[in-house]
CSV table of all heavy atoms in Angstrom, one decimal:
chain,number,residue,atom,x,y,z
J,70,MET,N,-39.1,-20.4,-25.8
J,70,MET,CA,-39.4,-19.0,-25.9
J,70,MET,C,-38.4,-18.2,-25.1
J,70,MET,O,-38.0,-18.6,-24.1
J,70,MET,CB,-40.8,-18.8,-25.3
J,70,MET,CG,-41.3,-17.4,-25.4
J,70,MET,SD,-42.8,-16.9,-26.4
J,70,MET,CE,-43.7,-18.2,-27.0
J,71,THR,N,-38.1,-17.0,-25.6
J,71,THR,CA,-37.1,-16.2,-25.0
J,71,THR,C,-37.7,-14.9,-24.5
J,71,THR,O,-38.9,-14.7,-24.7
J,71,THR,CB,-35.9,-15.8,-25.9
J,71,THR,OG1,-36.5,-15.1,-27.0
J,71,THR,CG2,-35.2,-17.1,-26.4
J,72,GLN,N,-36.9,-14.0,-23.9
J,72,GLN,CA,-37.4,-12.7,-23.4
J,72,GLN,C,-38.2,-12.0,-24.5
J,72,GLN,O,-37.7,-11.9,-25.6
J,72,GLN,CB,-36.3,-11.9,-22.9
J,72,GLN,CG,-36.7,-10.6,-22.4
J,72,GLN,CD,-35.5,-9.8,-21.9
J,72,GLN,OE1,-34.4,-10.1,-22.1
J,72,GLN,NE2,-35.8,-8.6,-21.3
J,73,GLY,N,-39.4,-11.5,-24.2
J,73,GLY,CA,-40.2,-10.8,-25.2
J,73,GLY,C,-40.9,-11.7,-26.2
J,73,GLY,O,-41.5,-11.2,-27.1
J,74,GLY,N,-40.8,-13.0,-26.0
J,74,GLY,CA,-41.5,-13.9,-26.9
J,74,GLY,C,-40.8,-14.1,-28.3
J,74,GLY,O,-41.4,-14.7,-29.1
J,75,LEU,N,-39.6,-13.6,-28.5
J,75,LEU,CA,-39.0,-13.7,-29.8
J,75,LEU,C,-38.0,-14.9,-29.8
J,75,LEU,O,-37.4,-15.2,-28.8
J,75,LEU,CB,-38.2,-12.5,-30.1
J,75,LEU,CG,-39.0,-11.2,-30.2
J,75,LEU,CD1,-38.0,-10.0,-30.4
J,75,LEU,CD2,-39.9,-11.3,-31.4
J,76,ALA,N,-38.0,-15.6,-30.9
J,76,ALA,CA,-37.1,-16.8,-31.0
J,76,ALA,C,-35.7,-16.3,-31.1
J,76,ALA,O,-35.4,-15.2,-31.6
J,76,ALA,CB,-37.5,-17.6,-32.2
J,77,PRO,N,-34.7,-17.0,-30.6
J,77,PRO,CA,-33.3,-16.6,-30.8
J,77,PRO,C,-32.9,-16.4,-32.2
J,77,PRO,O,-33.4,-17.1,-33.1
J,77,PRO,CB,-32.5,-17.8,-30.2
J,77,PRO,CG,-33.5,-18.7,-29.6
J,77,PRO,CD,-34.8,-18.3,-30.1
J,78,GLN,N,-32.1,-15.4,-32.5
J,78,GLN,CA,-31.7,-15.1,-33.8
J,78,GLN,C,-30.3,-15.6,-34.1
J,78,GLN,O,-29.5,-15.8,-33.2
J,78,GLN,CB,-31.7,-13.6,-34.1
J,78,GLN,CG,-33.1,-13.0,-33.9
J,78,GLN,CD,-34.1,-13.5,-34.9
J,78,GLN,OE1,-33.8,-13.6,-36.1
J,78,GLN,NE2,-35.2,-14.0,-34.4
J,79,PRO,N,-30.0,-15.9,-35.4
J,79,PRO,CA,-28.7,-16.4,-35.7
J,79,PRO,C,-27.6,-15.4,-35.2
J,79,PRO,O,-27.8,-14.2,-35.3
J,79,PRO,CB,-28.7,-16.5,-37.2
J,79,PRO,CG,-30.1,-16.7,-37.6
J,79,PRO,CD,-30.9,-15.9,-36.5
J,83,ARG,N,-27.3,-10.9,-34.9
J,83,ARG,CA,-27.2,-10.1,-33.6
J,83,ARG,C,-25.9,-9.3,-33.6
J,83,ARG,O,-25.9,-8.2,-33.2
J,83,ARG,CB,-27.2,-11.1,-32.5
J,83,ARG,CG,-28.6,-11.5,-32.0
J,83,ARG,CD,-28.5,-12.3,-30.8
J,83,ARG,NE,-28.0,-13.6,-31.2
J,83,ARG,CZ,-27.7,-14.6,-30.4
J,83,ARG,NH1,-27.9,-14.4,-29.1
J,83,ARG,NH2,-27.3,-15.7,-30.8
J,113,PRO,N,-33.8,-13.5,-41.1
J,113,PRO,CA,-34.8,-14.1,-40.3
J,113,PRO,C,-36.0,-13.3,-39.9
J,113,PRO,O,-37.0,-13.8,-39.5
J,113,PRO,CB,-34.0,-14.5,-39.0
J,113,PRO,CG,-32.8,-13.7,-39.0
J,113,PRO,CD,-32.5,-13.4,-40.5
J,114,LYS,N,-35.8,-11.9,-40.0
J,114,LYS,CA,-37.0,-11.0,-39.7
J,114,LYS,C,-37.6,-10.4,-40.9
J,114,LYS,O,-38.4,-9.6,-40.8
J,114,LYS,CB,-36.5,-10.0,-38.7
J,114,LYS,CG,-36.2,-10.5,-37.3
J,114,LYS,CD,-36.0,-9.4,-36.3
J,114,LYS,CE,-35.8,-10.0,-34.9
J,114,LYS,NZ,-35.7,-8.9,-33.9
Side-chain angles (χ1 to χ4, degrees):
M70 183 117 10
T71 62
Q72 182 180 5
L75 299 175
Q78 298 300 311
R83 275 187 289 176
K114 291 190 176 184

